[in-house]
Amino acid sequence: MMSRLMLAAALMLAACSGKLERGIVIEDADPAPALAFTAADGQRFDLAAERGKVVMLYFGYTHCPDVCPTTLSDWARAKRALGADTTNIRFVFVSMDPDRDTPELALTYARQFDGAFVGLTGTPLELEDLKKRWSIAAYPEGDPRDGFYTVAHPAHTFVVDRQGRLRVLFQPGVSGEELAQDLRKLF
């Protein structure tokens, strides 16, 4: 499991890693924490079943005004730049806003950027467990009762390598072309 200390160390090592142009490489990466949710179609998505593929993960929410749509737009540009090379990459958006985002809404949101993107969310209890396992924070800012609130969430894209290890972090603002360039090195 990736601790906050490991994440801080990974961020500090970013300048030391010459393997990728923009990605922050996590050396001696641990297996990615568990992530499994029931998708809108009733099928279970389990990160562990994705071994053999590179998995891009983003934890956000569908009402996000800025970072989430920008990140998924960059993913779509990266996917187009990679062309046929994307058969071994999964792009997975996980909503951290269970009060507004259903599995159907998370899927619809992700697929508006690309038809192959996966959109998921869980129950409040499942998301609390996910936050603990991934050592991330996500919480409403404002009063959720009035429906007008934002959700603080991680801004990084998490990349799980073909062996199921949490291997790379991408900061927000990495262009689709830069993502494609680094993703080619991961598979």
Side-chain angles (χ1 to χ4, degrees), residues 33-75:
L35 186 152
F37 291 112
T38 301
D41 63 3
Q43 298 296 311
R44 192 82 174 151
F45 176 89
D46 188 343
L47 181 60
E50 298 298 317
R51 291 246 170 123
K53 296 179 183 174
V54 171
V55 180
M56 305 272 290
L57 283 169
Y58 191 77
F59 302 103
Y61 68 114
T62 67
H63 291 77
C64 182
D66 45 28
V67 180
C68 295
T70 301
T71 297
L72 271 62
S73 292
D74 288 333
W75 282 10

Side-chain angles (χ1 to χ4, degrees), residues 9-144:
L11 293 172
M12 291 185 334
L13 287 173
C16 301
S17 176
K19 295 179 183 176
L20 300 178
E21 297 298 319
R22 297 295 305 263
I24 300 167
V25 176
I26 301 169
E27 301 295 339
D28 300 320
D30 289 331
L35 186 152
F37 291 112
T38 301
D41 63 3
Q43 298 296 311
R44 192 82 174 151
F45 176 89
D46 188 343
L47 181 60
E50 298 298 317
R51 291 246 170 123
K53 296 179 183 174
V54 171
V55 180
M56 305 272 290
L57 283 169
Y58 191 77
F59 302 103
Y61 68 114
T62 67
H63 291 77
C64 182
D66 45 28
V67 180
C68 295
T70 301
T71 297
L72 271 62
S73 292
D74 288 333
W75 282 10
R77 282 193 288 285
K79 188 172 182 284
R80 284 192 301 275
L82 290 167
D85 287 343
T86 60
T87 57
N88 289 319
I89 302 175
R90 295 278 284 192
F91 297 85
V92 180
F93 168 80
V94 179
S95 171
M96 302 304 290
D97 186 5
D99 293 331
R100 291 184 290 195
D101 294 345
T102 63
E104 294 79 14
L105 186 56
L107 178 62
T108 299
Y109 180 79
R111 291 213 170 143
Q112 76 181 343
F113 297 94
D114 187 277
F117 286 3
V118 175
L120 304 167
T121 194
T123 66
L125 287 175
E126 288 173 323
L127 292 174
E128 285 302 315
D129 186 50
L130 174 86
K131 291 188 287 187
K132 289 175 188 168
R133 281 186 270 115
W134 282 79
S135 297
I136 60 174
Y139 52 88
E141 292 183 324
D143 189 352

